[in-house]
Amino acid sequence: MALFIVFEGGEGCGKSTQARALHRHLLQEGQQAILTREPGGTGLGERVRRHLKRPGGMPISPLAELFLIEAARAQLVNEVISPALQAGQAVICDRYTPSTLAYQGYGRGLDLETIRGANGTATGGLSPDLIVLLDIPVEAGLGRKKGRAGDRFESESLAFHRRVRRGYLEMARADPERWLIVDGRRPRQAIRGTIRERVSALRAPGPGA
Ligand code: TMP
C-alpha cells in the first residue's frame, strides 16, 4: 500500500501550508498523491466542519462533537482515503485521529480510551505511516490568527489550547517511530526540508528490508 501521512498541531502551527507543500513535492516527483483534510474531504465531512467551526452556532456537547467528527472520519476513510491507498496513491491528510485525542481528549476532557475505541471503529484500524507534528507555543500560534474572528475552537481558552499541545507532545514522544516533531517557529523552507527527508527515508527500503 502507498504511504499515508498525517499533519497535526495546534491552531496556527502551519501544518496546512506544509501539507500542501509536501503534496506538491510528491506530485512534482511524479508520484500519485492526494491531499485531504479533517473534518472535511467529503460532502458530509465539509458540512460537519462548518457546524463544528461556526462560533455562536447551536450548542454541541463534547460527546456530540466526538461523534460528529467520527462520522465525518468514517465517511472520509470509506470514500477517499482507503480507495486512494488501495489504488497506490499516497495520501496526505491535514489532521486525523490524533486531533481527536488532543482536542476532545486532552482539551475537552473526554476519556482517552473511549476516543481510541471510536477512532478505531471509524477508521477500521487504518493508521498513518507518519504523523508530522508542527509544534508551536500556544500564544504564538493563536497570534498568527489575529486580525480575524476566531472560530469555535480558536476561541477556546488558553488553558484548553495548552492541554491540546501537551497532549500532542505526550503522544509524539511516546511513539517516535511514527511521529516527527518539528518546531513550527523555524523558517518554512527549513521545515519543508526536514519533512521531505523523513518522507524519503520512509520510501527508501531500509537496511535488511
Ligand atoms: P483546521 O483545519 O483549521 O485545523 O480546523 C479544524 C478544527 O477542528 C481545529 O480547530 C481542530 C478541530 N478538530 C477537533 O477538535 N478534533 C478532531 O478530531 C479534528 C479532526 C479537528
Side-chain angles (χ1 to χ4, degrees):
M1 276 234 287
L3 277 186
F4 179 19
I5 301 167
V6 166
F7 282 77
E8 291 285 354
E11 309 302 322
C13 67
K15 67 181 168 43
S16 305
T17 306
Q18 291 297 336
R20 277 196 301 273
L22 180 65
H23 181 231
R24 264 198 316 273
H25 173 69
L26 293 180
L27 293 179
Q28 277 162 7
E29 285 202 325
Q31 283 200 58
Q32 293 201 351
I34 63 155
L35 172 64
T36 188
R37 69 174 177 182
E38 279 210 24
T42 65
L44 175 70
E46 291 297 328
R47 281 217 184 177
V48 167
R49 181 184 183 88
R50 276 201 296 281
H51 284 300
L52 287 180
K53 291 191 70 142
R54 185 179 301 148
M58 59 191 155
I60 305 176
S61 74
L63 202 53
E65 186 175 90
L66 171 68
F67 283 112
L68 284 169
I69 288 166
E70 299 295 1
R73 174 167 299 140
Q75 189 63 31
L76 183 70
V77 169
N78 180 268
E79 189 180 320
V80 178
I81 300 180
S82 289
L85 291 173
Q86 276 159 21
Q89 297 183 311
V91 173
I92 299 168
C93 197
D94 186 342
R95 296 195 183 280
Y96 192 58
T97 50
S99 280
T100 321
L101 288 162
Y103 280 79
Q104 281 64 48
Y106 289 85
R108 300 248 192 257
L110 291 183
D111 175 60
L112 294 177
E113 274 315 304
T114 302
I115 297 176
R116 280 193 196 102
N119 282 347
T121 303
T123 60
L126 179 68
S127 53
D129 300 293
L130 174 67
I131 306 159
V132 179
L133 172 62
L134 273 290
D135 178 57
I136 181 170
V138 162
E139 291 84 350
L142 291 171
R144 288 178 176 179
K145 305 249 167 179
K146 265 201 188 121
R148 63 173 184 78
D151 68 27
R152 221 177 119 258
F153 293 100
E154 290 160 9
S155 322
E156 281 292 339
S157 65
L158 274 183
F160 172 90
H161 291 290
R162 288 197 182 112
R163 289 196 298 276
V164 168
R165 184 182 184 208
R166 181 169 58 78
Y168 273 130
L169 287 170
E170 268 183 36
M171 288 188 272
R173 286 174 183 150
D175 188 7
E177 293 267 298
R178 227 145 53 94
W179 286 74
L180 169 67
I181 306 177
V182 185
D183 184 341
R185 289 166 302 180
R186 285 169 57 209
R188 265 189 208 177
Q189 204 61 34
I191 294 178
R192 242 185 248 186
T194 302
I195 295 171
R196 281 181 196 176
E197 262 172 41
R198 179 71 177 254
V199 171
S200 319
L202 268 183
R203 281 152 57 202

